[in-house]
Amino acid sequence: MAEDDELDIDVDDLQRRMDGALTSLRTEFASLRTGRASAQMLDPVMVDAYGQPTPINQVGTVNVPEPRMVTINVWDKSMVGKVEKAIRESGLGINPQLNGTIIMLPIPELNEERRRELTKVAAQYAEHARVAIRNVRRDGMDRIKKAKGQGMSEDDQKLWEAEVQEMTDAHIAKVDQALESKQAEIMQV
């Protein structure tokens, strides 16, 4: 019976799902503009390329030649207008400048008020990640209760619960750490 119980509580699956919440948080953080140029800030922007929504890095080469500039060298001349339009409509607050097939994105300085707003947005992203991690924890705890109902010993139940809680605490700490460093990055002038 013990083998069936252990198969029912897949710690690797819980770990993978919690890691997924952290990966998603890092992606969201990368899309936040900090006043410094970064190629990742264009990751959420999709271009209508040949009838398909396509990431910018699949229609051109994205470079960061200097701290306040991102350039996109669009491979297909016919796509330049579509890439420019996608950036304008993305809500990034960046005004693209055309130079042939190269689109230049000068990154403006962030004012104090905008920095504060961005730290709040980062905090919301972090809270979403914490909620996702807690949901995975609850799912794990539910599986443990179910396994106890199928004959798992109380000692095993306590061990599994402790392991799931430890994993949850570790992931929440990573979220808090990531938020702290992102907020410091945003507030840095």
Side-chain angles (χ1 to χ4, degrees):
M1 184 86 181
E3 276 183 24
D4 289 346
D5 294 336
E6 285 183 21
L7 292 175
D8 202 21
I9 300 157
D10 187 352
V11 176
D12 290 341
D13 178 55
L14 298 176
Q15 177 80 36
R16 185 183 49 72
R17 288 166 55 199
M18 286 184 186
D19 288 346
L22 278 172
T23 302
S24 176
L25 176 67
R26 288 192 184 101
T27 303
E28 287 177 322
F29 276 177
S31 73
L32 282 180
R33 207 159 53 81
T34 59
R36 268 205 216 96
S38 135
Q40 289 79 28
M41 66 193 292
L42 296 173
D43 287 354
V45 181
M46 293 293 180
V47 181
D48 181 28
Y50 317 110
Q52 290 284 99
T54 310
I56 286 181
N57 63 9
Q58 290 183 19
V59 295
T61 307
V62 179
N63 286 311
V64 182
E66 51 192 79
R68 307 196 68 70
M69 178 72 72
V70 176
T71 60
I72 306 158
N73 188 353
V74 183
W75 302 318
D76 181 349
K77 215 176 199 168
S78 68
M79 294 299 300
V80 174
K82 289 182 176 184
V83 172
E84 181 192 17
K85 182 179 181 215
I87 293 166
R88 283 191 197 281
E89 294 175 353
S90 69
L92 286 175
I94 300 173
N95 198 12
Q97 299 168 354
L98 293 178
N99 183 358
T101 57
I102 295 178
I103 298 174
M104 295 180 296
L105 306 172
I107 310 300
E109 275 287 339
L110 292 176
N111 63 23
E112 190 66 26
E113 184 183 332
R114 183 71 180 128
R115 287 178 195 281
R116 282 203 228 306
E117 284 174 29
L118 286 174
T119 59
K120 288 177 185 164
V121 171
Q124 288 174 337
Y125 288 163
E127 187 52 34
H128 292 300
R130 286 188 204 101
V131 167
I133 290 167
R134 288 185 197 117
N135 286 340
V136 174
R137 174 192 174 276
R138 188 183 60 230
D139 185 40
M141 293 300 191
D142 289 348
R143 289 183 189 177
I144 293 167
K145 281 188 186 118
K146 192 173 161 191
K148 186 178 190 299
Q150 296 170 347
M152 177 190 275
S153 75
E154 211 165 301
D155 288 347
D156 283 350
Q157 178 189 5
K158 285 190 182 353
L159 284 172
W160 283 112
E161 285 175 350
E163 185 172 343
V164 170
Q165 186 60 50
E166 199 174 296
M167 192 187 312
T168 303
D169 293 344
H171 281 80
I172 296 284
K174 287 178 186 173
V175 167
D176 293 342
Q177 189 179 8
L179 174 61
E180 205 173 289
S181 76
K182 187 63 179 183
Q183 286 180 330
E185 182 185 332
I186 291 169
M187 293 310 286
Q188 188 177 41
V189 179

